Amino acid sequence: MTNTYERVSLWALIYFIGRTLILFLRQAVNLIPLAVVIVTGGDQLRLVILWLLATGLPTLIVVHAVASWWCFRYRADAHTLHVREGILKRTQLTLDYDRIQLADIRQPWYFRPFGQSILGVESAGSDGKEVELAGLSYDRAESLRQAMMQHKENAQGLAAIDSPADDFRVDIDSSVAGFRLTLPLSELVRYGLMHNPVLLALPVVAYPLSQLDFIDDWVIPRVEGLVTLIERGGGVLQTTLLWGGGVLAVLALLVVASVLLSIVRYYGFTLTVTGQRYQTRAGLLSIVTRSFQYVRLQRLVWSQGIIARAMGRRSLRIDQTGRPDTMQQAKKFFVPILNAEREAGIKQQLRLTDANWQSVHPASMILPWLMTTSALTLLVALLTSWSLEWVLGSLLLICPGVALLVWASWRLRAVYVDDNWIALRRGMIGQQQSWIPAYKMQTLRIRQGPWLRLWGTSALQVLSAGGRETIAWLPVAQIEALQSRLTKCTAVYQGRWM
């Protein structure tokens, strides 16, 4: 630790150039008037403007990045991190170690050859990282992160002595120390098959392709040729096999791309538990180290899609805030894939009990069945110009089909509550479980509309630091008892929430 402000390494200029470039791209909308001038201003003016952009814009980006690096200073003492930055408008941020929510170290591919890294620190109540210290050696970044985490653990140890609570909720004893979990390459391949983000790119790619001549000049003629061949009855098998092989080849490429992306992101994934501290380290090109403390756990989310269920695997996300939006998913503490053995080991570390799941009232299936059946029947009626034969025929398929799907969803919908956890299970083909500490409740509200009242049931809305959940379709007396139980758990708990 030092009492003087330090400047990050000169290699951090790479980071600042990238950050400046992103800033300029975000402000590109302000150049729309200039684009109008380029289009309408004539060849000579257009040439001058394009030349100025080609030479002046890169120069401006580099100058701005150098100035940002020069003005960026930091100082780390025993309790706080101080950061000064800004070229014209100078800002200073003071971050107490007690407020740190997440600290991670990233070694991007452009820093690894030079032994540099980025220390990212996210504080309680922020939407993202408040501080990123780029251009630190890995040893320096690790020593800062260790000092921050050690300060928090010492402070929490004193708090536990001053405000006693039961051992489960506050004290993480030596039984959870020394736990280590690694994911072999074969598991990362399975994760790439389970979660195929490359498929999400298809709608994005489809639109620009539709604006080109590719569809009109290549796809449509071949589809028309295929239709002609089928109508003439010639070469049907050969053409079908050819097109089928093409589709399978495209799908195979997408699967391979997904697997490679999984390996690049999670290669060498290692989870270690020491005392209250959980830490992961993973990455092939860019290595990311993330850590959090058990006391800050707000929600556990176990997810299992249809492919994962067939493989007998699950994924685990640990939330420390109640904002599980897609923009923040990459910053969550995440274990990509777990088999039954590894899942049992991490459940033991997280103090999860074996859930005795309770199903909700069967009447919860009625409204979803009626609404889905009515919507599909109306759609068929509109498409067939209200043909009675088509509507009646479709009902013979829609009614049992929707009933089967609604029943499958109801069968997996269940609740479990004890003195330490609230757990909710939902799904249809796959499954998702949310586990929330029962002693971290912020709001408990009972709701009972006419439909719930008709069946003698009620709903409990639960708002915690981990987000909002609803426990519905349980008997009124049980919901009231559950509210009282959770209120008592929260009232008697004297440990730290964050």
Side-chain angles (χ1 to χ4, degrees), residues 142-159:
E142 180 64 22
S143 65
L144 283 175
R145 190 181 67 83
Q146 291 286 350
M148 294 173 184
M149 295 297 103
Q150 189 62 45
H151 174 83
K152 291 171 59 59
E153 290 179 2
N154 293 339
Q156 289 162 6
L158 294 175

Side-chain angles (χ1 to χ4, degrees), residues 422-452:
I422 301 173
L424 296 98
R425 187 182 69 186
R426 59 179 66 89
M428 183 179 297
I429 300 175
Q431 184 184 129
Q432 178 175 300
Q433 298 180 17
S434 297
W435 291 69
I436 304 172
Y439 47 88
K440 293 186 177 182
M441 298 296 102
Q442 295 178 342
T443 302
L444 296 168
R445 184 180 295 113
I446 294 179
R447 297 290 190 186
Q448 187 186 43
W451 185 245
L452 290 173

Side-chain angles (χ1 to χ4, degrees), residues 167-480:
D167 293 339
F168 175 87
R169 296 170 180 167
V170 175
D171 181 38
I172 308 298
D173 57 26
S174 60
S175 64
V176 299
F179 177 79
R180 182 180 178 88
L181 181 149
T182 59
L183 295 179
L185 191 62
S186 59
E187 290 295 288
L188 299 182
V189 172
R190 290 186 177 92
Y191 177 74
L193 298 175
M194 287 165 41
H195 298 78
N196 200 327
V198 179
L199 292 176
L200 300 178
L202 287 180
V204 180
V205 176
Y207 178 76
L209 286 179
S210 66
Q211 306 303 308
L212 303 175
D213 295 333
F214 173 78
I215 302 295
D216 295 333
D217 296 344
W218 196 89
V219 176
I220 293 180
R222 281 160 178 76
V223 172
E224 292 175 347
L226 176 62
V227 173
T228 302
L229 283 174
I230 293 176
E231 291 176 348
R232 294 177 179 177
V236 175
L237 179 60
Q238 179 182 359
T239 306
T240 302
L241 291 176
L242 181 62
W243 278 81
V247 171
L248 290 177
V250 172
L251 292 177
L253 288 175
L254 292 176
V255 170
V256 170
S258 177
V259 170
L260 292 177
L261 183 63
S262 171
I263 294 174
V264 169
R265 185 175 181 182
Y266 295 110
Y267 180 80
F269 183 93
T270 304
L271 166 66
T272 56
V273 181
T274 305
Q276 292 196 50
R277 189 183 306 171
Y278 288 64
Q279 178 176 302
T280 61
R281 178 179 171 86
L284 180 62
L285 301 178
S286 298
I287 300 176
V288 179
T289 302
R290 286 197 170 97
S291 64
F292 86 102
Q293 291 182 301
Y294 185 88
V295 71
R296 297 181 180 276
L297 185 154
Q298 306 298 341
R299 175 165 58 180
L300 304 171
V301 180
W302 301 85
S303 58
Q304 182 184 54
I306 180 173
I307 300 178
R309 188 173 185 181
M311 293 181 179
R313 301 294 192 274
R314 295 181 191 273
S315 298
L316 171 63
R317 189 185 80 231
I318 300 178
D319 293 340
Q320 300 178 74
T321 63
R323 295 187 177 186
D325 52 275
T326 55
M327 295 299 294
Q328 298 295 324
Q329 286 301 322
K331 300 178 182 179
K332 300 295 181 182
F333 197 89
F334 186 65
V335 183
I337 183 170
L338 294 165
N339 60 12
E341 181 181 356
R342 296 186 180 93
E343 182 180 340
I346 199 169
K347 280 184 175 180
Q348 182 180 3
Q349 307 306 311
L350 293 170
R351 299 294 197 270
L352 297 186
T353 54
D354 292 331
N356 183 19
W357 295 104
Q358 178 186 354
S359 299
V360 298
H361 198 287
S364 61
M365 293 185 287
I366 297 177
L367 279 181
W369 179 81
L370 284 175
M371 295 175 64
T372 306
T373 301
S374 301
L376 292 177
T377 304
L378 179 61
L379 179 62
V380 171
L382 293 174
L383 293 176
T384 60
S385 300
W386 299 93
S387 172
L388 183 60
E389 293 80 4
W390 276 98
V391 171
L392 293 178
S394 64
L395 279 174
L396 295 177
L397 297 176
I398 292 174
C399 290
V402 173
L404 182 61
L405 294 176
V406 172
W407 174 82
S409 178
W410 170 82
R411 187 174 60 88
L412 288 179
R413 187 179 176 186
V415 179
Y416 169 73
V417 180
D418 60 21
D419 290 336
N420 298 306
W421 296 99
I422 301 173
L424 296 98
R425 187 182 69 186
R426 59 179 66 89
M428 183 179 297
I429 300 175
Q431 184 184 129
Q432 178 175 300
Q433 298 180 17
S434 297
W435 291 69
I436 304 172
Y439 47 88
K440 293 186 177 182
M441 298 296 102
Q442 295 178 342
T443 302
L444 296 168
R445 184 180 295 113
I446 294 179
R447 297 290 190 186
Q448 187 186 43
W451 185 245
L452 290 173
R453 190 181 304 115
L454 176 64
W455 299 97
T457 60
S458 186
L460 178 64
Q461 292 183 348
V462 175
L463 178 62
S464 70
R468 184 187 301 273
E469 297 285 355
T470 300
I471 303 173
W473 290 101
L474 294 180
V476 175
Q478 184 176 355
I479 288 290
E480 292 175 348

Side-chain angles (χ1 to χ4, degrees), residues 12-21 24 58-72 87:
L13 278 174
I14 304 174
Y15 168 84
F16 282 100
I17 289 174
R19 194 173 76 169
T20 302
L21 182 60
F24 272 66
T59 303
L60 183 61
I61 290 175
V62 172
V63 170
H64 184 276
V66 172
S68 299
W69 168 81
W70 180 263
C71 296
F72 188 94
I87 302 174

